[in-house]
Structure formats: C-alpha cells, structure tokens
C-alpha cells in the first residue's frame, strides 16, 4: 500500500548530546558554485529541507548567508527552524584561532549562532593554506587538537555554537 510521503521537516532526526535535533537529510554546499548556491539554498528551504551544511573552505558562505536572510525575511522559515552546520578549517587549529574562524563563518552566513560546528579534519595545515597540498600539511598532533577542542568548547560557552 502506498503511503503519502512525509514532509521533509517530519523526516528522521538524530538527537545530539545537547538535545538538539539534527535533521538526517540536509543540503550540502560543497562545490556549489557561486551564483547558483544561493538559489539552491532557497529552493531547498522552500521544499522543506531544514539542514544546511556549510564550511568556510567552500568559499560560498556569503551567498548562502544572503539566501538564508532572504528566506528568513520573507517568512519561508524561521532561523530557529533551520539547522545550520559549518566546519573549522585545518589552518585554524589553535585555541586562539577557533573564535576568529567561527566569527568569519558567522559573518559570512549572517547568523548569530551555528547549530553545529565541526572540526573539518584532525590534521593541521600551515597558516593561510586553503587547499589540501601535502606541503602545507603539518599532520596530526594530539596536543594541538586538544587545544583546538578547548576553543570549540568556548564557542558553546559564548553562545556562538549550540553543539
């Protein structure tokens, strides 16, 4: 027997340790082209998507931010009804750099907070490296990643990140 499909907003979620509910289906914005990603975000939100996945390294957070603000102002969705994830890039793996990197992301996305902020990967790159060239890879250092994690926890304490 065929059943009417659920609305995207009624789809499965994953409950995080904070109690936040992460929608299992989301729109990824990696390799989404400038001039197209904003429309993709608006279309996805209008279609019922409630999770948008971003990262500073993708280079498109400003356009995504414009699309989000347009959808919020037009009443398509409320900010609190959209789960927004972004990621800390490998060049910002120090306690001191985590805050500035998050603020860059928040500025681009034009948001007061992120629902989830992840460490993009466990290895560290040289400052300023925005690619994945091996010559820029400083490798994995447990002490450095522990300091990065402390910076991530401070973002939660400051209310800039929920998880």
């Amino acid at each position: 027997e065929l059943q009417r499909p659920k609305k995207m907003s009624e789809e499965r979620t994953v409950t995080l340790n904070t109690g936040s509910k992460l929608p299992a289906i989301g729109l990824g914005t990696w390799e989404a082209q400038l001039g197209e990603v904003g429309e993709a975000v608006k279309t996805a939100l209008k279609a019922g998507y409630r999770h948008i996945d971003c990262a500073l390294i993708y280079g498109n957070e400003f356009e995504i931010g414009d699309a989000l603000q347009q959808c919020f102002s037009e009443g398509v969705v409320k900010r609190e009804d959209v789960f927004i994830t972004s990621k800390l890039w490998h060049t910002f793996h120090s306690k001191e750099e985590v805050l500035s990197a998050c603020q860059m992301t928040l500025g681009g996305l034009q948001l007061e907070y992120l629902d989830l902020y992840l460490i993009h990967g466990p290895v560290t790159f040289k400052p300023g490296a925005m690619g994945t060239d091996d010559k820029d890879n400083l490798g994995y250092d447990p002490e450095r990643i522990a300091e990065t994690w402390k910076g991530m926890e401070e973002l939660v304490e400051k209310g800039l990140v929920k998880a």
Side-chain angles (χ1 to χ4, degrees):
E1 177 180 338
L2 291 176
Q3 295 181 3
R4 182 181 172 145
K6 291 182 178 182
K7 292 180 182 176
M8 190 75 67
S9 59
E10 296 171 352
E11 289 293 324
R12 292 187 177 181
T13 60
V14 175
T15 302
L16 304 179
N17 68 335
T18 61
S20 294
K21 299 221 180 274
L22 165 68
I25 297 174
L27 176 72
T29 61
W30 181 55
E31 294 191 342
Q33 299 299 307
L34 293 176
E36 297 175 5
V37 68
E39 281 304 313
V41 168
K42 291 187 282 188
T43 299
L45 292 173
K46 288 174 184 174
Y49 280 72
R50 294 299 178 261
H51 179 197
I52 307 295
D53 178 76
C54 313
L56 179 65
I57 191 64
Y58 301 167
N60 55 19
E61 288 186 331
F62 283 100
E63 188 172 331
I64 293 167
D66 288 343
L68 290 170
Q69 291 308 311
Q70 185 177 345
C71 286
F72 299 155
S73 68
E74 291 175 359
V76 173
V77 291
K78 296 178 184 174
R79 167 61 186 101
E80 57 270 19
D81 295 332
V82 181
F83 195 98
I84 300 175
T85 300
S86 194
K87 299 167 206 81
L88 178 74
W89 186 239
H90 304 289
T91 54
F92 301 105
H93 283 198
S94 76
K95 185 178 173 187
E96 299 74 30
E97 293 174 324
V98 169
L99 176 61
S100 64
C102 182
Q103 289 172 326
M104 280 191 281
T105 284
L106 290 170
L109 294 172
Q110 302 173 50
L111 299 173
E112 302 277 324
Y113 67 91
L114 294 169
D115 295 282
L116 180 63
Y117 196 48
L118 302 170
I119 296 174
H120 210 130
V123 297
T124 301
F125 290 170
K126 292 178 184 174
M130 294 305 275
T132 57
D133 194 324
D134 281 343
K135 70 178 174 47
D136 294 326
N137 189 337
L138 300 176
Y140 174 75
D141 178 336
E143 291 178 21
R144 186 169 42 232
I145 207 74
E147 283 300 308
T148 300
W149 189 255
K150 287 179 186 174
M152 299 289 278
E153 289 177 331
E154 288 180 4
L155 297 176
V156 174
E157 293 167 10
K158 293 177 187 294
L160 299 175
V161 171
K162 295 204 176 207

